[in-house]
Amino acid sequence: MFKRACLLVAIVAMFVTSFAGTSSAYNSNNWMGSLSNSTSLTALSIPGTHDSGALYESIYGTAKNQDLTIAQQLSIGVRYLDIRTRHYQNAFTIHHGAVYQNQNFDDVLNAVISFLNANPTETVIMSVKEEHTAAENTRSYEETFNSYVNKNPSKWFMSNRVPTLGEARGKIVLLRRFDAAQLPKGIDATAWKENTTFTIQNAASLKIQDYYKVTDKNKKWTDIQNMYNEANSANPTWLYINYTSGYSPGLFGIPNIRTIKDEINPKVSQFFTVNTRGRFGISAMDFITSEHASKIIATNF
């Protein structure tokens, strides 16, 4: 009888362990490690940030988009970064518009590569875009970008296609928003359109919602929901990038970023409280929190 009881306990323990599945095996630092190498990045729900390096502003509400540093964003599970760089003196400084963000591209890359070295199961999709006015350069933007890549070439995935996790683990997947003469140089997103929802189709197929000058908050939320629903039901090989961010144009066109965040972020949180499983693409958020990130990540399991 005792042996039978022990056997029953062991069987129950095995069942519970099996039932728990992979979702119990991950944390915010290594959640991609619980997913198969054969999984395409297009198949995932990925927390991301808009203007990821924008932590500073001189006028409240006009330029700051995040409370968390790049390292902190990665630690809560963010895997899509939107990096805006000014080309200045043959180097890249991080800007939001004209506002210097008190860090340079080396600072961003040091944070990302340090994170990937410590968490080699992960990958980071990095959108790189030129921002503000170039000045005092003796080479092209692309040549300066190459100089950064050449410091750690093995840490970059530079093909013009969306990779699988197995191909991308431990690397930065470039989403390129600048012109380049030497190809391939990452996923080509140079046909990015302003303030709308659009598709880009070349070697990679992308659908992007980036309605950022928000004059109608209801439309903004409808656009976000439509992208989530399409990502969950259509075009499995497409990469969906859904910007939940935006600003409300105020007096004299002065932007108010927080009024959109205050309206939209709770709705994003509620959406993922209800929609707990599925493929919803990349959510590029302003002022992301660990709560937002964890709810998005959980839909993968």
Side-chain angles (χ1 to χ4, degrees):
M1 180 67 71
F2 178 75
K3 289 182 178 180
R4 288 182 179 179
C6 290
L7 179 61
L8 180 60
V9 169
I11 291 171
V12 170
M14 288 174 62
F15 175 77
V16 170
T17 301
S18 174
F19 185 76
T22 57
S23 61
S24 64
Y26 73 87
N27 60 44
S28 59
N29 279 323
N30 64 16
W31 64 268
M32 288 178 161
S34 295
L35 301 171
S36 169
N37 279 341
S38 62
T39 305
S40 172
L41 298 188
T42 65
L44 301 180
S45 302
I46 298 175
T49 48
H50 157 251
D51 249 307
S52 306
L55 278 74
Y56 301 97
E57 59 193 357
S58 54
I59 301 173
Y60 184 81
T62 60
K64 178 180 169 71
N65 294 90
Q66 307 298 333
D67 286 327
L68 303 180
T69 65
I70 298 292
Q72 290 168 335
Q73 290 171 37
L74 295 172
S75 73
I76 67 167
V78 167
R79 298 293 181 269
Y80 172 86
L81 298 176
D82 175 9
I83 304 300
R84 312 292 178 96
T85 59
R86 183 190 184 195
H87 193 198
Y88 179 65
Q89 294 183 344
N90 293 330
F92 289 164
T93 54
I94 305 303
H95 270 248
H96 183 177
V99 182
Y100 174 53
Q101 292 299 317
N102 298 338
Q103 59 182 320
N104 301 325
F105 197 43
D106 270 327
D107 300 315
V108 171
L109 293 181
N110 287 341
V112 174
I113 291 172
S114 293
F115 174 82
L116 292 173
N117 286 340
N119 300 278
T121 62
E122 307 305 286
T123 185
V124 175
I125 304 169
M126 183 183 293
S127 168
V128 178
K129 175 182 180 290
E130 185 169 8
E131 189 92 345
H132 196 42
T133 305
E136 301 180 31
N137 300 295
T138 60
R139 59 186 180 185
S140 70
Y141 184 96
E142 181 185 10
E143 288 170 330
T144 294
F145 177 79
N146 291 345
S147 73
Y148 287 100
V149 172
N150 290 338
K151 294 178 184 179
N152 290 283
S154 66
K155 302 306 291 184
W156 292 84
F157 183 89
M158 300 290 278
S159 296
N160 183 18
R161 60 182 177 83
V162 181
T164 64
L165 268 174
E167 294 173 309
R169 293 194 197 279
K171 297 182 180 182
I172 301 166
V173 177
L174 175 64
L175 184 80
R176 176 172 54 85
R177 292 184 62 183
F178 59 90
D179 291 331
Q182 298 175 346
L183 301 176
K185 190 171 267 104
I187 299 168
D188 183 357
T190 54
W192 200 284
K193 296 182 181 178
E194 296 294 316
N195 202 38
T196 189
T197 298
F198 58 96
T199 61
I200 298 174
Q201 289 182 272
N202 41 60
S205 294
L206 316 174
K207 188 161 186 178
I208 299 154
Q209 182 282 121
D210 191 19
Y211 170 38
Y212 59 81
K213 187 177 180 180
V214 181
T215 55
D216 184 338
K217 294 176 184 177
N218 290 330
K219 179 185 183 306
K220 176 64 175 177
W221 177 238
T222 297
D223 288 353
I224 293 168
Q225 282 187 296
N226 287 344
M227 280 283 285
Y228 281 148
N229 292 333
E230 183 176 332
N232 196 37
S233 62
N235 300 327
T237 63
W238 286 49
L239 184 65
Y240 285 84
I241 306 176
N242 202 357
Y243 276 76
T244 70
S245 55
Y247 71 86
S248 177
L251 190 64
F252 306 117
I254 296 173
N256 187 328
I257 293 168
R258 283 174 176 81
T259 189
I260 302 303
K261 178 267 294 187
D262 291 343
E263 176 82 13
I264 298 298
N265 281 16
K267 292 183 177 180
V268 172
S269 185
Q270 179 60 29
F271 180 91
F272 287 109
T273 299
V274 174
N275 297 276
T276 58
R277 189 176 180 87
R279 169 245 197 179
F280 297 99
I282 295 167
S283 298
M285 301 186 68
D286 279 344
F287 297 99
I288 197 168
T289 66
S290 59
E291 178 192 359
H292 300 131
S294 63
K295 287 183 176 182
I296 294 168
I297 292 166
T299 65
N300 293 295
F301 300 98

